[in-house]
Amino acid sequence: MRTAFLFLTVCIFLVSSNPFKATAQHTVSDFLLTAFEDRNTTHFDAQKAFLKPRNYRYPILEEVELRMGNDEQTYEDLQYALRVRPGNPWRIRRNDAFFNATRKELELQKRREYKENLMMRYELTLEYFLNRELAAMVEESLDIVSRKANIMEENLQSELFDGKDYSEAKLDQVEAIEKLEEALVKLNRIQAEIELILDTGDLNWINFSLIQVETIEELAADIATQSNPSVELDLISQRAEVARQEGRVEKADFDIGYAQLEYFPFTNRKSNYGFSVGVTLPIFKDNKPQIAERKLDELELEGEFEFEQHRDSINKIREYQHLKNLIAQHRLMLKKVDELNLKAMQNNLANSEDFDPLTILDLQEGIAKLDEVILKSRFRVLSQFVDFLYTYDALAKSPLTNYLSEDLMLIE
């Protein structure tokens, strides 16, 4: 009861000291959902909106030319011609394919930004809950050492009074106050950052229940069996495709020829009209350096993809194994704490005839330290679980899920 009261006191202090006065309530899921509203993704929408065929498509007719000629400098030899130079159909199609690939690349870049935004919010959320719990525990420890010091002050004239123990209790108070101040500063900083993102000053996550370690173990085992490429790998692969399509456009960048309609108004011919056609043979290319440059880009990205693919598979194995190790370590800590059974010892001493309140408080202080060890162990598991989800590209996977919630609620 005392712990709950102290925890509530800390939370009330934090809320009442906040300079914002908004009244709307925002959940953890609301905070995670803001990852898709960040301004760092708006330029992708603007670029995609610009990529319409009319803004990049080559024209069907590249050139229309009206010509006039006179070989013999006489009026009767005057002639006219209309020359049309059609667009290269291979270049037109390949240019369309290039910009379609570019559009897909922009979409993947946007997905990567969403993933990074989500990761940042998951980390902030975990920091908030960890520091909130630590602040409450430090407050409880301060209360315990303060009661010890008060008991000693009330028995200054007793034969059992020990000045050294009294000094140590006072110094423990100083240390606890310092730790509390540090915890509250961290908590206020994180809370302020979350409230700025949410644009609210009424952060109230007291009733939020974090996911259990057992659920993490089951969920991680299921996710680890799924072999889906990460968005980073998809992006590198798509960049290689963009380079390949750009190279194909360069190869098709040549003039295919012309068609010309001729008119001879003053000559004695059966017909005053004629035509001529010219076809360009693309034997010599003046853009070979550009073609070679695009090919080098493609080869570089293909090599980068193979390297990142190998590293991604290793990272997945490492992150999953590290998560399993932390879960095993957390359970070992729980087992050792249970074996100590300090709470039962405290109850037995409290019911004994030679009841010593200082000894009871010493045990309470030890229990509080063990609770802090277990708390940090649990949050190490939670932090590694988030890293695991990031590596397996599960954070932004549809349906969008709040992986920190106890019931794995969907984010809508």
Side-chain angles (χ1 to χ4, degrees):
M1 291 294 295
R2 182 179 297 275
T3 302
F5 173 75
L6 292 172
F7 171 73
L8 184 61
T9 302
V10 171
C11 293
I12 293 174
F13 165 76
L14 291 170
V15 173
S16 62
S17 64
N18 196 289
F20 298 93
K21 297 299 179 182
T23 58
Q25 296 291 329
H26 294 272
T27 65
V28 175
S29 294
D30 293 333
F31 176 61
L32 297 177
L33 195 60
T34 60
F36 300 93
E37 303 169 359
D38 264 8
R39 294 183 179 181
N40 62 352
T41 61
T42 55
H43 65 282
F44 295 118
D45 295 328
Q47 287 175 298
K48 287 179 63 179
F50 175 77
L51 287 181
K52 296 178 180 178
R54 68 171 181 266
N55 291 328
Y56 63 77
R57 182 169 290 169
Y58 282 115
I60 297 177
L61 295 179
E62 292 188 358
E63 188 178 84
V64 177
E65 182 181 353
L66 183 63
R67 303 165 68 93
M68 182 180 70
N70 193 324
D71 294 339
E72 298 182 3
Q73 305 296 320
T74 63
Y75 181 75
E76 291 79 6
D77 195 51
L78 188 65
Q79 60 184 13
Y80 301 95
L82 179 66
R83 176 173 291 191
V84 176
R85 196 177 299 277
N88 187 327
W90 294 279
R91 185 173 63 169
I92 292 173
R93 288 197 299 268
R94 292 178 181 185
N95 186 65
D96 289 345
F98 166 71
F99 279 101
N100 287 335
T102 301
R103 189 181 293 108
K104 291 179 181 178
E105 181 187 355
L106 290 173
E107 183 62 34
L108 288 169
Q109 288 178 347
K110 186 177 179 180
R111 281 177 53 194
R112 185 184 60 179
E113 287 298 327
Y114 283 159
K115 180 180 175 180
E116 295 294 335
N117 293 343
L118 264 177
M119 182 64 176
M120 183 270 286
R121 282 158 176 77
Y122 269 100
E123 290 175 339
L124 271 179
T125 303
L126 278 181
E127 280 190 71
Y128 171 79
F129 283 115
L130 173 61
N131 284 280
R132 192 183 72 176
E133 296 284 346
L134 285 175
M137 287 185 173
V138 172
E139 181 79 18
E140 181 181 9
S141 297
L142 176 60
D143 178 70
I144 292 172
V145 297
S146 297
R147 282 188 287 159
K148 287 173 62 178
N150 291 337
I151 291 174
M152 293 178 184
E153 289 175 356
E154 293 171 358
N155 295 275
L156 290 176
Q157 307 303 322
S158 172
E159 297 179 357
L160 299 178
F161 176 79
D162 190 321
K164 183 178 180 181
D165 290 343
Y166 178 62
S167 299
E168 290 179 352
K170 282 296 185 180
L171 291 176
D172 288 342
Q173 276 185 292
V174 173
E175 184 179 351
I177 291 173
E178 182 182 4
K179 289 178 65 177
L180 179 62
E181 194 270 342
E182 290 178 358
L184 290 177
V185 167
K186 287 182 180 180
L187 185 57
N188 274 318
R189 175 185 61 79
I190 297 168
Q191 180 172 334
E193 190 168 351
I194 293 174
E195 289 173 344
L196 283 173
I197 293 174
L198 284 172
D199 193 22
T200 181
D202 189 17
L203 189 64
N204 184 9
W205 292 351
I206 295 178
N207 297 322
F208 182 79
S209 299
L210 287 168
I211 186 173
Q212 298 298 315
V213 174
E214 293 75 18
T215 308
I216 290 176
E217 186 175 30
E218 295 175 4
L219 186 59
D222 180 59
I223 293 175
T225 60
Q226 304 172 14
S227 180
N228 297 321
S230 65
V231 65
E232 289 81 6
L233 282 177
D234 288 340
L235 180 57
I236 296 173
S237 176
Q238 189 59 33
R239 282 175 173 170
E241 175 64 15
V242 169
R244 188 180 74 87
Q245 294 294 346
E246 191 173 5
R248 295 180 74 241
V249 173
E250 290 286 354
K251 290 178 181 179
D253 188 14
F254 59 88
D255 181 13
I256 65 172
Y258 68 91
Q260 180 171 294
L261 178 64
E262 299 166 348
Y263 175 55
F264 307 93
F266 305 109
T267 58
N268 297 321
R269 298 185 179 186
K270 293 182 179 180
S271 174
N272 292 339
Y273 296 94
F275 72 90
S276 59
V277 176
V279 178
T280 302
L281 300 177
I283 300 175
F284 307 103
K285 290 182 177 293
D286 59 357
N287 61 343
K288 275 192 174 182
Q290 290 80 9
I291 295 174
E293 187 177 352
R294 299 292 82 76
K295 187 61 179 180
L296 287 174
D297 292 341
E298 181 185 351
L299 292 173
E300 180 183 357
L301 288 166
E302 287 177 352
E304 183 181 351
F305 176 79
E306 291 180 2
F307 172 75
E308 291 296 336
Q309 190 176 37
H310 176 68
R311 189 168 70 171
D312 181 69
S313 61
I314 293 176
N315 287 342
K316 286 179 178 178
I317 296 172
R318 182 176 60 242
E319 295 296 331
Y320 183 39
Q321 187 61 47
H322 187 40
L323 177 61
K324 291 193 293 185
N325 291 340
L326 287 177
I327 292 174
Q329 181 179 328
H330 177 71
R331 286 176 174 161
L332 179 62
M333 292 297 102
L334 288 174
K335 181 181 178 182
K336 290 185 177 296
V337 170
D338 288 340
E339 290 174 352
L340 284 175
N341 204 11
L342 291 184
K343 291 184 179 180
M345 182 179 178
Q346 174 191 338
N347 293 332
N348 292 333
L349 290 176
N351 295 327
S352 63
E353 295 181 358
D354 54 343
F355 169 73
D356 183 2
L358 290 178
T359 302
I360 299 299
L361 289 175
D362 286 338
L363 285 174
Q364 289 180 359
E365 191 174 2
I367 292 170
K369 290 180 179 179
L370 288 177
D371 288 342
E372 185 175 339
V373 170
I374 296 300
L375 175 71
K376 290 181 178 179
S377 174
R378 184 190 176 198
F379 272 86
R380 275 194 292 270
V381 173
L382 286 167
S383 179
Q384 179 57 30
F385 177 55
V386 172
D387 289 341
F388 167 84
L389 293 172
Y390 178 87
T391 303
Y392 276 81
D393 211 31
L395 291 178
K397 186 178 179 180
S398 182
L400 199 62
T401 304
N402 183 348
Y403 287 106
L404 294 182
S405 63
E406 187 175 25
D407 54 354
L408 295 175
M409 66 178 65
L410 298 180
I411 301 177
E412 299 176 346

